[in-house]
Amino acid sequence: MRRFNIAVPAAVILSTALSVVPAHAGDAGGRPGLAHCAAGACHFDVPPGTYDVRVVLGGEAASATSISGETRRSLLPETAAPAGERVTRTFTVNVRTPEGEPTGPDGTPGLDLRIGGSAPALAGIKVTPARHARQIFLVGDSTVCDQPGDPYSGWGQQLPQYLRQGVSVANYADSGESTVTYLGNPRLWATVRPLIRPGDLVLVQLAHNDKTTDEATYRANLETLVAAVRERGGQPVLVTPIVRRWFNPDGTLNNGTALLVNGLGVDHPAVTRSVAAAQDVPLIDLTAKTKALVESLGVEGSKALYLYNEKRDNTHTSVRGATAYAGLVRDELVTRHLVPKGKVRVG
């Protein structure tokens, strides 16, 4: 799958009618950080690293505020504050160069946040270096990555909004990559591996571009990634690929195109499950989860999860689809006790 470099004018990104209001004297945090914000955006001149962000939301009128940042990452879901009240939220964000896909452009130095929502109101904001934050590294392709422009979105781009302070997503997924190319490109696995610290999670979803990879090689590549994560003291997690929206006449996805069986007959989800079982690695069966969701919505209802209406694309997800699929990953992280329940946002 190719990279999609779709330019989004800054004027469009920053056009939200933001109410930046001074906090009441008694509000926790006082008036921090508002000097860094204007026209629906905040910029903090910080070096690459991991940062805790604390926001105070609300104003005289009822408000509803969301926050995204860097390369279109969703960091805080729309949060309501009643008229005259303040709501405090915190989250942890990874700042890196390149700020999006590892083989993409460097992006803007520092931390850039965008304030959105149906009625945004920002009363205060503070950015501090995160201490003892746990990283969730993502190794994947264009269905996972931080896509640079609308209407595309990877599920890894939407995952941060489901996490609370103390856990951040370092999304090193890259468009067009297979297990072969991810291991072979020095800007990918050779860059990620030294960053892994004891206790970090590394989620691996690679399959869509292994179209000519034979089964022995695919299996060996997954085993190599698992072993390397463990050598660094990290926790590998294998993730089967999201389905393609490719229906049979009977309304099911029971075919090789939908379920990621390549031209050599390699059943990528089945091999991933087998490696996870053999290596005693936690498995997120996203193929099964997304198959069930797509089939439940049917031929018409499932179009909104993908870019069928916009691009006749049954592989890449819309923001809606990526958000739904990120929610499935969030649920599995909690169910499998990979992330404490108190570290995730529900709903």
Side-chain angles (χ1 to χ4, degrees), residues 228-311:
V229 173
R230 285 174 165 165
E231 287 171 1
R232 295 290 301 173
Q235 169 68 73
V237 180
L238 293 179
V239 183
T240 61
I242 68 168
V243 293
R244 294 190 180 97
R245 185 190 159 277
W246 198 265
F247 280 93
N248 293 329
D250 64 359
T252 69
L253 300 179
N254 296 323
N255 61 78
T257 299
L259 299 180
L260 281 297
V261 178
N262 74 9
L264 301 178
V266 179
D267 186 330
H268 293 102
V271 175
T272 304
R273 296 178 190 118
S274 173
V275 172
Q279 299 289 322
D280 193 24
V281 174
L283 174 76
I284 295 177
D285 198 340
L286 203 52
T287 306
K289 295 289 184 180
T290 55
K291 178 179 186 290
L293 178 57
V294 171
E295 288 181 342
S296 72
L297 293 173
V299 173
E300 290 301 317
S302 62
K303 288 179 179 178
L305 298 180
Y306 290 81
L307 296 174
Y308 179 84
N309 293 325
E310 300 87 348
K311 303 287 183 179

Side-chain angles (χ1 to χ4, degrees), residues 56-139:
V56 181
L57 309 174
E60 293 183 3
S63 63
T65 309
S66 62
I67 299 178
S68 61
E70 299 294 89
T71 303
R72 301 177 61 240
R73 300 180 216 161
S74 294
L75 300 172
L76 184 72
E78 186 162 286
T79 302
E85 296 187 19
R86 300 291 188 266
V87 173
T88 300
R89 292 290 185 270
T90 56
F91 56 88
T92 302
V93 60
N94 172 256
V95 177
R96 59 183 183 272
T97 303
E99 69 177 33
E101 296 178 83
T103 63
D106 284 353
T108 305
L111 172 61
D112 289 291
L113 302 174
R114 287 170 286 281
I115 316 302
S118 56
L122 180 66
I125 183 168
K126 185 177 182 181
V127 174
T128 56
R131 301 186 183 279
H132 311 299
R134 188 184 192 192
Q135 297 280 17
I136 299 179
F137 289 93
L138 302 183
V139 170

